[in-house]
Amino acid sequence: MRMACIDRASPALKQILLKLYCAEKALEIDHHLYEFGSVEYHIQSQASDPQLAYLSISMPPLCHGVLPKELSSKTIEMVKGLCPNVVEIIEPAKEGYQLTLKLNLNQIPRNKDYDKIIREISSVHSVILSSQLKEILWNVNSDDALQGMYKPIKLVYHPREPFFLIRQPQRIIAVFPIRFKEKSDVTIATTFFQELVDVGSSDKWAKVPPCNWSAIPPPELRGEAFEDLSTNGGFFTFDISSRHVEGNRLDKTVWSLLNFSTYVRYHVKSTKGFIQRRMRKRLESLVEVLHQTNSEENEQTKEHQGLPSANTFQY
């Protein structure tokens, strides 16, 4: 899967931080920003000390019951690694938030690299989620797996779009229930899924996780809540082996899982736009042909009636 269309950084957060950094005059900012319906950023900066800004973030855990509400030490370390010279973690975090960062804006170089650094800071939400999913892939159901019990773990990245992980010996199954509001979207998506399965089974893509699409829930999801299994786009499944979560592949696998639903919707939207453009172009061509045919018929009618046509006038 190619996720080039998905940006790890929050566009809205990046815009605010750029505004702070590039401001010619000191700014007083106390701004709340909401994303995905459940993620809250709080950005603060005082005009009396424009070189400092404070960023607090509140977000639910990726999986209730498996991960604690507080951020783990591994996640904290990943956040610290964003931009060590610029980002400082404040402990304890501001009340009501899981994380508060102190941003030393004067440590951001005044050259072309500033945009890259601010983009990195704006990706803090993605860093936290990626870290949480890595912990789940490493730890979830380890005791149950030894006893032959493979309980699905429900994860929620985007509201109303949960997906499931089932850890089994030597592999992890990721299942995505697919829902759309419009029937045309379902048609485009199911066609895309079938093509994705065909391509994924080819020798060229033998190293990527095998995938499958089905209109009915896989047996691993038996017993899950009815609302989670009620779909009109079926269920897409990835079969992830140990080699897909080793070394640098782990980051790619995690990011692809977190954004698979977004990628599918992006593809459906792009396909609909392409179809509409082709139909519009085809309609314009047909109108042009009809207009030309109508003009020729008018000319022939005038000639048949003995009336001078536009072409008979001499100048």
Side-chain angles (χ1 to χ4, degrees):
M1 289 182 294
R2 300 181 67 87
M3 297 293 174
C5 58
I6 311 297
D7 195 348
R8 294 175 184 263
S10 162
L13 178 58
K14 180 185 175 185
Q15 182 179 8
I16 294 174
L17 294 180
L18 282 174
K19 181 179 179 180
L20 269 175
Y21 177 75
C22 299
E24 296 182 358
K25 296 182 179 180
L27 296 178
E28 189 90 17
I29 288 183
D30 190 345
H31 188 77
H32 292 265
L33 175 64
Y34 298 89
E35 288 184 336
F36 299 120
S38 55
V39 179
E40 179 186 356
Y41 299 102
H42 186 198
I43 307 99
Q44 294 175 295
S45 178
Q46 296 182 354
S48 59
D49 195 359
Q51 300 303 320
L52 291 179
Y54 293 88
L55 170 63
S56 299
I57 180 171
S58 172
M59 54 183 288
L62 187 60
C63 179
H64 292 279
V66 174
L67 295 171
K69 188 174 181 181
E70 296 77 18
L71 301 181
S72 69
S73 58
K74 291 182 179 178
T75 300
I76 294 295
E77 288 302 315
M78 290 189 67
V79 173
K80 286 181 178 179
L82 279 175
C83 301
N85 295 331
V86 179
V87 176
E88 180 182 344
I89 295 179
I90 302 299
E91 295 182 356
K94 185 179 178 182
E95 185 177 358
Y97 296 87
Q98 280 88 18
L99 182 68
T100 296
L101 304 178
K102 178 182 177 181
L103 307 180
N104 299 294
L105 301 179
N106 59 337
Q107 295 298 317
I108 301 177
R110 293 283 174 177
N111 55 35
K112 62 181 181 180
D113 291 334
Y114 78 89
D115 187 80
K116 179 181 178 182
I117 293 175
I118 291 179
R119 177 183 293 274
E120 288 291 321
I121 298 172
S122 302
S123 68
V124 59
H125 178 225
S126 299
V127 169
I128 293 173
L129 285 175
S130 296
S131 176
Q132 290 182 343
L133 183 51
K134 287 177 183 178
E135 292 185 44
I136 292 173
L137 292 176
W138 285 328
N139 302 319
V140 73
N141 280 352
S142 56
D143 295 334
D144 291 341
L146 294 176
Q147 302 174 18
M149 300 169 59
Y150 311 123
K151 299 177 182 179
I153 301 300
K154 179 180 176 181
L155 300 98
V156 181
Y157 179 23
H158 297 282
R160 300 180 299 278
E161 292 185 358
F163 66 99
F164 297 87
L165 291 182
I166 306 101
R167 182 155 185 165
Q168 297 184 351
Q170 307 302 320
R171 67 171 184 161
I172 299 169
I173 301 173
V175 184
F176 293 83
I178 306 297
R179 301 175 182 85
F180 288 99
K181 292 182 180 180
E182 299 182 13
K183 291 183 178 180
S184 60
D185 293 352
V186 175
T187 302
I188 295 173
T190 51
T191 301
F192 171 63
F193 293 150
Q194 291 166 356
E195 292 178 352
L196 195 59
V197 171
D198 291 340
V199 171
S201 61
S202 64
D203 294 338
K204 182 179 179 181
W205 299 100
K207 294 183 179 181
V208 303
C211 56
N212 185 45
W213 176 82
S214 174
I216 61 175
E220 290 83 4
L221 292 186
R222 288 175 182 169
E224 293 301 310
F226 175 77
E227 58 268 20
D228 292 333
L229 304 183
S230 178
T231 72
N232 57 2
F235 299 80
F236 201 87
T237 304
F238 290 99
D239 197 342
I240 303 169
S241 66
S242 57
R243 63 188 178 91
H244 297 125
V245 293
E246 294 176 348
N248 294 333
R249 292 181 179 179
L250 177 60
D251 287 330
K252 295 180 180 179
T253 299
V254 165
W255 187 244
S256 296
L257 290 176
L258 287 174
N259 290 282
F260 179 71
S261 295
T262 301
Y263 178 70
V264 170
R265 297 190 181 280
Y266 173 86
H267 174 82
V268 170
K269 182 179 179 180
S270 299
T271 302
K272 290 177 69 174
F274 173 77
I275 293 173
Q276 291 170 354
R277 289 192 298 271
R278 289 290 299 271
M279 291 178 63
R280 189 180 301 112
K281 186 175 181 180
R282 179 62 176 166
L283 180 60
E284 291 173 353
S285 299
L286 289 174
V287 170
E288 185 178 348
V289 170
L290 290 174
H291 179 73
Q292 183 178 356
T293 302
N294 188 46
S295 299
E296 292 176 353
E297 289 178 352
N298 289 338
E299 292 293 329
Q300 292 176 359
T301 301
K302 290 180 180 180
E303 292 176 0
H304 181 72
Q305 295 176 348
L307 297 175
S309 64
N311 294 330
T312 61
F313 288 96
Q314 306 268 339
Y315 294 93

